[in-house]
Amino acid sequence: MADTMQFDLVAPERNLMSVSVREVRLPGENGDLSAMPGHTPAIVNLRPGLVTVVDDQGAEHQFAISGGFAEINNESISLLAEIGRKREDMDQDAFDEMMRAAQRKKKAAEQKEQQSGAEEVVAAAAKLLADMEALGTHIGLSANSSTVPD
């Protein structure tokens, strides 16, 4: 078994990272997990949180994501993030952008619920918003300044 695997992190605006890695720690929708070379193939839905990448030299890199999914196989991980930023690039403005996107999803889900009774959609959107707030708290940013106007 090899001791590294290929990792690619892509967000809509650009490719954030493409390197050989020892480990990737992911904020899974059903709980956090680590993927290493030889991992069982899986597709994992991701919640907002920090992705930690340990490169082939042992250096750690962190990225804040708003959600997405990761495709894991024996030799590689491809992560497609809805919104992704390097941890050091996360400032209040970038976090506000991510919070507004989560708030818009919740508002759209509430409107859909009123039309069709889709309570589970609203619950998922509320969880997304709560996870975004928790991400902000974890990295020292405030969720209070990023509200969506009615």
Side-chain angles (χ1 to χ4, degrees):
M1 178 172 82
D3 60 345
T4 62
M5 61 196 304
Q6 179 61 35
F7 173 72
D8 294 291
L9 172 55
V10 179
E13 62 276 2
R14 67 184 182 277
N15 185 352
L16 294 170
M17 180 175 252
S18 181
V19 296
S20 183
V21 298
R22 293 181 187 173
E23 176 185 8
V24 178
R25 293 188 291 269
L26 302 166
E29 193 172 74
N30 295 318
D32 294 350
L33 68 133
S34 291
M36 293 181 270
H39 194 283
T40 301
I43 295 178
V44 179
N45 288 326
L46 302 172
R47 62 175 166 71
L50 290 176
V51 173
T52 302
V53 178
V54 181
D55 68 23
D56 59 357
Q57 302 300 310
E60 286 193 7
H61 309 270
Q62 288 192 317
F63 297 87
I65 63 166
S66 66
F69 73 92
E71 181 179 4
I72 304 168
N73 66 48
N74 296 346
E75 299 173 3
S76 67
I77 301 174
S78 296
L79 191 158
L80 302 174
E82 293 171 357
I83 300 173
R85 300 271 188 280
K86 291 181 181 179
R87 169 61 184 98
E88 58 268 16
D89 294 342
M90 280 298 293
D91 58 13
Q92 191 64 51
D93 289 338
F95 180 66
D96 288 349
E97 174 191 341
M98 294 171 86
M99 280 296 298
R100 284 190 294 272
Q103 289 168 339
R104 282 191 298 272
K105 285 183 181 181
K106 184 173 184 267
K107 189 171 186 172
E110 289 170 343
Q111 291 171 346
K112 185 176 180 178
E113 177 189 35
Q114 290 173 352
Q115 296 168 353
S116 64
E119 295 86 7
E120 63 279 351
V121 174
V122 174
K127 182 176 181 331
L128 170 70
L129 187 55
D131 287 341
M132 281 302 308
E133 290 173 353
L135 170 61
T137 299
H138 182 75
I139 61 178
L141 299 173
S142 171
N144 296 330
S145 66
S146 50
T147 58
V148 172
D150 290 330

